[in-house]
Amino acid sequence: MKLSTLFFAALAEAIVLPRTYETTFSPGPDGKYTISAPGIKAQFIEYGATLTNLFVKDKNGNDIDVVLGYDDLDWYPKDPGHPVYNSIPGRYVNRIGKAKYTLDGNEYITQDNDGGNTLHSGTNNWSFRYWNVTAFTPESITFSISDASNSSLGMLGRVDSSVTYSVTNSTWNIKITASSPEQRTPVMLTQHTYFNLDAYKNPATDLIWDHTLYLPYSSRYLEADQGALPTGKILTAAPGSINDFASSPNVPFGHSKNDPKFQGNCGANGVCEGYNGYWLIDDAPKGAVVLTLASPFSGVKADLRTDQPGIVLYSCSWMDGSAVLKKTQGLSDKQRVVKSSCLAVEAQDYPDGINRPEWGRTEAQILGPDETYNWESSWTFSLL
């Protein structure tokens, strides 16, 4: 997800809230909470309810760490770039157009932190907060947060939320719930996961374009403006076009990288290379695999199942090489997160849906008393 210059300026003034709770659960000596099952190990920290490491088996039987992050856990709250590595932003993810919305006849102003729009509810969103560990077993962990009214500008009413991560048989499960006991308020959540299924160990390339991507139920996508805000139009990708990942399986993610339109396909007046947009999931059977990401090099295949109506894909165009890879990743000549070297996948509802009644998603993105918000996804890892 693109982070603009205005975002960085606002972030410089943001205050990371300290831990304000007591917990009966403690991380391991490395500062991480570890859960594991056959074929998979996941590690987490309280800041942002963040996944720091995800180990799965490659085609040689080796454990490889397939998500981005930092070895220095203290850097998560300090990184001025704050790429939202594998955390839970909220209470309303993605963009709010023109930093405002109308609910029940009242207009609310939100923080402008992304070129005239609001991104992830602003610079005090849930990915900047320390969550409370409320349950922890060898196979699962639950993080909880209580978000006070207006702690993110224009987001009124308290929201209480929990995310449970669990693992079983090479599968990572994610379940999020939320309630708004005081009043109606926007709520839309996601797990903002960054992948490189090679763990940056492919000597031929550290870019993501050699991965394959299949979205069998997603021929339609939202048109976006130069700032990655949806225009309201829903388009259909023609077979073989830049945004087509539905017409056939095993399409290289970079299948259109030599197309002159690829540079600028995700906006920013031609600067954003590749992808930063939203694909609709149409008519998928319950429990169907809606996205398959795979790497011929590592042999790892990742299958996504979700109850959400669409998926954001962001191909890391704004990574500038300043971030250092974890010691579990990379080669001697590949030690940094460079442009177009990863893919963020975010299952979620339609971005800016609270401002687009024509989509029919507005009420699905508003949570009120006596209602429960539910979000569920899973990633299953196997070999090609």
Side-chain angles (χ1 to χ4, degrees):
M1 188 65 63
K2 175 194 170 187
L3 304 179
S4 71
T5 302
L6 287 177
F7 175 84
F8 295 129
L11 180 57
E13 299 177 359
I15 298 174
V16 176
L17 298 178
R19 296 174 180 84
T20 57
Y21 58 84
E22 295 182 0
T23 179
T24 58
F25 304 104
S26 299
D30 59 0
K32 305 172 187 177
Y33 295 86
T34 300
I35 60 177
S36 62
I40 191 167
K41 181 174 79 171
Q43 297 180 296
F44 304 89
I45 57 173
E46 296 147 320
Y47 182 74
T50 297
L51 170 75
T52 62
N53 305 80
L54 184 63
F55 294 94
V56 299
K57 296 289 186 181
D58 70 3
K59 64 185 181 184
N60 298 313
N62 298 317
D63 293 320
I64 60 170
D65 187 2
V66 295
V67 297
L68 276 66
Y70 313 115
D71 284 328
D72 181 2
L73 301 185
D74 292 335
W75 188 239
Y76 281 90
K78 294 178 181 178
D79 181 4
H82 193 80
V84 197
Y85 274 160
N86 320 323
S87 63
I88 308 291
R91 68 179 67 173
Y92 190 90
V93 302
N94 213 299
R95 287 168 177 80
I96 298 175
K98 299 181 180 178
K100 61 181 180 181
Y101 67 95
T102 299
L103 175 59
D104 298 332
N106 298 309
E107 183 177 272
Y108 296 91
I109 304 301
T110 54
Q111 182 186 355
D112 173 3
N113 67 319
D114 191 62
N117 304 313
T118 300
L119 180 60
H120 297 323
S121 302
T123 55
N124 193 32
N125 74 66
W126 297 357
S127 68
F128 290 95
R129 315 274 189 90
Y130 286 94
W131 293 52
N132 188 7
V133 178
T134 52
F136 182 38
T137 74
E139 298 86 23
S140 70
I141 186 167
T142 299
F143 294 92
S144 300
I145 190 170
S146 185
D147 185 28
S149 179
N150 211 39
S151 58
S152 291
L153 180 66
M155 297 292 174
L156 301 187
R158 189 182 90 238
V159 170
D160 300 321
S161 184
S162 294
V163 55
T164 296
Y165 301 119
S166 62
V167 289
T168 179
N169 296 326
S170 299
T171 298
W172 174 36
N173 305 293
I174 312 140
K175 296 182 179 181
I176 308 174
T177 62
S179 62
S180 178
E182 297 175 347
Q183 68 179 78
R184 281 161 52 85
T185 188
V187 171
M188 185 168 76
L189 302 173
T190 194
Q191 220 303 330
H192 199 295
T193 318
Y194 285 84
F195 290 101
N196 181 304
L197 297 183
D198 293 338
Y200 289 85
K201 294 182 180 295
N202 184 348
T205 181
D206 50 4
L207 304 185
I208 199 72
W209 306 131
D210 284 354
H211 285 46
T212 62
L213 182 68
Y214 186 35
L215 307 175
Y217 305 100
S218 299
S219 60
R220 297 195 302 160
Y221 63 98
L222 298 184
E223 180 185 68
D225 66 15
Q226 294 301 310
L229 179 73
T231 66
K233 294 181 180 179
I234 298 176
L235 305 179
T236 299
S241 64
I242 291 178
N243 293 315
D244 171 40
F245 297 100
S247 62
S248 63
N250 304 320
V251 173
F253 188 42
H255 68 94
S256 294
K257 64 183 179 180
N258 295 323
D259 188 317
K261 296 179 181 179
F262 192 73
Q263 182 69 40
N265 186 55
C266 47
N269 297 310
V271 177
C272 185
E273 173 185 87
Y275 303 95
N276 187 19
Y278 184 83
W279 277 255
L280 285 62
I281 299 172
D282 291 320
D283 302 321
K286 185 176 180 180
V289 174
V290 298
L291 178 153
T292 297
L293 181 69
S295 164
F297 172 77
S298 68
V300 174
K301 182 175 73 167
D303 288 328
L304 173 67
R305 295 172 173 86
T306 186
D307 62 1
Q308 295 300 292
I311 304 167
V312 169
L313 302 176
Y314 164 54
S315 59
C316 297
S317 183
W318 303 105
M319 301 303 189
D320 60 4
S322 60
V324 178
L325 292 171
K326 294 175 286 185
K327 61 179 177 291
T328 55
Q329 299 175 326
L331 299 169
S332 60
D333 61 341
K334 293 178 175 61
Q335 293 290 317
R336 294 184 176 272
V337 182
V338 298
K339 181 175 182 175
S340 302
S341 66
C342 50
L343 174 63
V345 180
E346 309 157 48
Q348 61 182 70
D349 213 310
Y350 293 34
D352 199 33
I354 53 173
N355 286 321
R356 293 288 178 183
E358 66 269 29
W359 292 339
R361 301 305 304 171
T362 302
E363 281 303 309
Q365 299 181 10
I366 300 298
L367 182 66
D370 301 319
E371 297 175 339
T372 300
Y373 174 94
N374 292 288
W375 183 106
E376 187 170 349
S377 296
S378 68
W379 288 95
T380 298
F381 297 89
S382 59
L383 297 177
L384 291 171

